[in-house]
Amino acid sequence: MYRSILLQSRRALLFALAALSSLPALACQQTENGDAEMLGMLAIAALLPQSLSFQVIDANAVEFQCGAITAKNTNAGAGVAVSYAVQDLRFFVSNLRFLDAAGVETPATIVSDGVFQDQQYGVALLDFEDATAGCVGDSRTNRSVRYTAPSGAYTGVAFNVGVPEASNHIDRDGADTRSPLNITAMNWAWTSGYKFAKIELRDGGSNLTNFHLGSTGCAGTPPSGVTCSAANRPEVRISDSSGFNPAQRRVVLDLNELLRGFPQNPGALTCMPRQGGAVCDTLLDTLGVNGATGASNSASVEAFRVSQ
């Protein structure tokens, strides 16, 4: 098993050895002790898959569950708050990196699991719906990203919400297309790509807000030759100066923060970039997307944070 991991993760090994070599005191001590095996084990440990947990927080600041009131739109000055329940909540994560105090990035490799993650596509699907209590989809859920990366003194994490451009216009229906990019619920046929995020909220009545995020303004014929004028692929950069241990901390999506600024009681609404107008741009803004251009704006991200 270790041989396979080493062959598949040579890049991560180089990072791990570089990190170790930057610790001359430790290296010297280990050399003096003749304990090269210990160094080897540390390097291998850096290549073993680890897990970064994601959590969705609802209106009561507890972990989201289907059927509960999951968000309250308490937009200041908007009058009576509107409560929502989630119908669907999934999003892709790619380009995972960890940050040190100086903002220097250490890339992580998303590993394949045959269901929610694929290393070659460079993507993981977070899936919080379980088809119960008003949620759609199926019973499978996924609330973490498995990755390999060297250990380090990290203070934050960065990632993109979305499918990398190189994988966004593959043959989705091809016989050799692997999961999660063969999950049809995340296909976005009219753009020849994928929904990067699918968040569907139902109010106390029959009104449904469908928020679908993905690249728009796309032209061309897949799987090659497709170009999109608006990437709509936000970069999230969140940190804590006191430190960020990926094994102990989580990435939090706060539904109340996602809805900050969203108009009270908008009725039935379909929110897609450049399709939903200014009403929907508030959702794009809290996720870190400029609604006018589709460019990423990590400074505006309010929906994501690191856990305490």
Side-chain angles (χ1 to χ4, degrees):
M1 180 180 69
Y2 286 162
R3 177 179 174 78
S4 174
I5 292 172
L6 286 168
L7 290 174
Q8 295 177 8
S9 307
R10 183 179 180 184
R11 185 180 181 190
L13 174 61
L14 293 176
F15 275 110
L17 292 176
L20 289 170
S21 66
S22 69
L23 301 174
L26 176 60
C28 181
Q29 179 183 351
Q30 298 298 341
T31 301
E32 289 176 350
N33 293 339
D35 200 352
E37 182 179 354
M38 177 62 74
L39 287 174
M41 291 299 294
L42 287 172
I44 290 173
L47 305 179
L48 296 176
Q50 304 170 68
S51 182
L52 174 64
S53 295
F54 282 68
Q55 183 180 38
V56 175
I57 295 297
D58 71 9
N60 298 311
V62 298
E63 187 161 6
F64 156 76
Q65 299 292 335
C66 285
I69 295 175
T70 54
K72 291 181 179 178
N73 181 2
T74 55
N75 185 24
V80 179
V82 176
S83 298
Y84 295 93
V86 165
Q87 174 173 287
D88 202 344
L89 205 170
R90 315 179 218 189
F91 58 91
F92 287 105
V93 166
S94 59
N95 195 21
L96 180 64
R97 295 146 286 156
F98 294 105
L99 311 174
D100 68 12
V104 176
E105 300 178 351
T106 296
T109 300
I110 293 174
V111 299
S112 299
D113 68 2
V115 182
F116 290 106
Q117 305 194 172
D118 188 89
Q119 181 170 334
Q120 184 176 341
Y121 295 144
V123 72
L125 176 64
L126 279 301
D127 184 343
F128 295 87
E129 54 73 25
D130 59 8
T132 66
C135 284
V136 298
D138 57 40
S139 60
R140 299 179 303 174
T141 62
N142 180 44
R143 303 188 178 198
S144 65
V145 175
R146 277 75 63 199
Y147 67 92
T148 57
S151 300
Y154 300 126
T155 60
V157 60
F159 57 89
N160 288 92
V161 176
V163 176
E165 181 60 23
S167 302
N168 195 32
H169 305 290
I170 63 171
D171 181 5
R172 299 168 304 192
D173 301 320
D176 58 348
T177 301
R178 301 179 302 279
S179 195
L181 295 189
N182 62 1
I183 297 176
T184 56
M186 300 304 288
N187 289 354
W188 221 15
W190 65 281
T191 66
S192 303
Y194 289 90
K195 302 180 183 92
F196 299 161
K198 184 180 183 185
I199 302 174
E200 298 179 350
L201 305 169
R202 187 175 296 282
D203 67 13
S206 60
N207 294 320
L208 181 66
T209 295
N210 286 324
F211 175 61
H212 295 167
L213 177 67
S215 294
T216 54
C218 302
T221 303
S224 61
V226 176
T227 59
C228 301
S229 60
N232 298 317
R233 190 179 289 108
E235 179 188 49
V236 177
R237 298 175 68 90
I238 45 179
S239 60
D240 183 336
S241 59
S242 66
F244 180 81
N245 183 341
Q248 298 176 352
R249 307 286 290 275
R250 298 180 300 277
V251 175
V252 175
L253 171 60
D254 188 324
L255 292 176
N256 277 341
E257 293 299 323
L258 173 69
L259 290 172
R260 185 175 296 279
F262 191 64
Q264 183 260 340
N265 196 16
L269 190 63
T270 297
C271 282
M272 301 178 188
R274 292 187 173 182
Q275 301 292 323
V279 171
C280 299
D281 284 353
T282 62
L283 298 176
L284 295 172
D285 187 59
T286 57
L287 283 175
V289 175
N290 183 313
T293 66
S296 176
N297 179 19
S298 59
S300 75
V301 174
E302 296 182 65
F304 285 101
R305 67 173 186 270
V306 296
S307 68
Q308 297 301 310

